[in-house]
Amino acid sequence: MQPSGNEDRHTLLISDLHLCASRPAITDQFVRFIDTTARRADALYILGDLFEYWAGDDDLADPHNQTVIQALKRLSTHSVSCYLIHGNRDFLLGNEFAETANLQILQDPTMHDLHGYRVLLSHGDALCTDDLAYQEFRQQVRHPAWQAQFLAQPLSARKAQIEALRMRSEQEKSGKSEVIMDVNQDAVFALLRAYDYPDIFIHGHTHRPARHDIEIDRHHIVRWVLGDWYEQGSCLRLDTDGCKALPLV
Ligand code: MN
């Protein structure tokens, strides 16, 4: 039964699902989540890395991608607004994808007023400033000229390059310390100041789900980190009582 009135108005947030055809169980869980839990929400925010990778919007017809896109599209028929912020894996998700899936792509970061809170939303990779090699790579691949050149190549060539990049990044990650791959506290503070101290800051990327209470310049800000979906789903629920982790079945 649909809840009546305002008693159950809430927003759901997820990130780092890393959906791909080789992990069908997680895609199944995502589709179940969309068709049960998510359709009762006011809005769903996907804060990056929905897909393990995205080679370009000319890959929309891929059967696995279609499964995900059709699920997202069903959400809009239940009047659930859907928003997406690019992750470091799927930053090539473009307008055609957004139109087909019936969702809105937001800049990273974006501030939204939700349930009476000023909520800052981000994927989180831009805050990992201790990882100099990654930030250099990020700057390169987020450049419109680089993206245009990359997308001009045939889809198969792009997929092969992404595969090679993923293998290199896995090797490099094993040599990087945990501290380097986490968000940098100064970068977090600078962002919170730049956005005039939001009430809540939510991001993913680090796969270290947690609630961090921050005291900064006499402001109290709660930073929530979303978890990944490698083993099970991970989701935050936001309503007038604030944010909490939502157990998923
Ligand atoms: Mn990420």
Side-chain angles (χ1 to χ4, degrees):
M1 226 178 72
Q2 287 289 319
S4 60
N6 292 333
E7 63 201 34
D8 196 37
R9 310 273 321 249
H10 64 280
T11 296
L12 298 177
L13 305 104
I14 56 175
S15 75
D16 301 283
L17 295 88
H18 295 265
L19 300 178
C20 61
S22 60
R23 281 195 291 264
I26 297 298
T27 302
D28 287 350
Q29 188 173 14
F30 171 70
V31 171
R32 266 201 317 278
F33 166 77
I34 290 292
D35 288 333
T36 58
T37 312
R39 64 169 61 168
R40 294 191 287 269
D42 283 4
L44 173 69
Y45 285 78
I46 303 168
L47 300 187
D49 289 350
L50 171 64
F51 292 99
E52 175 70 3
Y53 70 88
W54 190 258
D57 281 4
D58 50 348
D59 204 13
L60 287 173
D62 169 86
H64 175 263
N65 294 342
Q66 269 304 313
T67 302
V68 176
I69 288 163
Q70 292 306 322
L72 289 167
K73 208 171 161 180
R74 282 197 296 282
L75 255 196
S76 57
T77 66
H78 290 268
S79 309
V80 182
S81 308
C82 189
Y83 303 95
L84 178 135
I85 286 179
H86 286 137
N88 52 304
R89 304 298 196 109
D90 54 11
F91 57 86
L92 287 174
L93 286 167
N95 290 335
E96 213 180 318
F97 164 81
E99 275 170 34
T100 315
N102 224 337
L103 56 76
Q104 193 185 334
I105 295 178
L106 304 173
Q107 293 297 310
D108 186 358
T110 285
M111 182 93 98
H112 273 189
D113 283 318
L114 297 169
H115 309 285
Y117 299 97
R118 291 166 63 241
V119 185
L120 186 63
L121 306 154
S122 174
H123 178 57
D125 58 320
L127 297 170
C128 299
T129 52
D130 294 327
D131 193 341
L132 299 175
Y134 172 69
Q135 291 305 329
E136 197 177 317
F137 170 79
R138 185 181 196 273
Q139 216 171 12
Q140 182 192 4
V141 301
R142 295 294 182 106
H143 199 282
W146 184 94
Q147 294 189 3
Q149 196 187 29
F150 184 75
L151 290 169
Q153 300 173 63
L155 180 60
S156 58
R158 274 176 270 146
K159 284 189 171 178
Q161 281 185 55
I162 289 168
E163 202 52 54
L165 262 177
R166 285 167 70 205
M167 280 169 66
R168 208 182 75 193
S169 129
E170 282 307 311
Q171 280 168 1
E172 284 174 0
K173 256 199 273 181
S174 61
K176 284 178 190 172
S177 77
E178 294 283 298
V179 174
I180 279 181
M181 290 193 295
D182 202 353
V183 296
N184 173 290
Q185 184 172 287
D186 291 341
V188 172
F189 281 18
L191 183 71
L192 296 175
R193 286 187 179 111
Y195 279 81
D196 197 23
Y197 312 101
D199 300 305
I200 302 172
F201 172 38
I202 307 175
H203 69 85
H205 181 65
T206 60
H207 302 198
R208 296 171 200 200
R211 174 195 163 124
H212 301 272
D213 285 82
I214 298 174
E215 302 296 334
I216 167 180
D217 307 339
R218 299 186 182 178
H219 293 266
H220 178 246
I221 299 168
V222 186
R223 174 169 77 95
W224 283 91
V225 186
L226 288 156
D228 63 65
W229 281 49
Y230 284 138
E231 304 295 332
Q232 68 272 306
S234 171
C235 180
L236 287 181
R237 178 195 155 109
L238 176 61
D239 59 27
T240 51
D241 293 330
C243 225
K244 67 175 182 207
L246 192 75
L248 292 182
V249 281

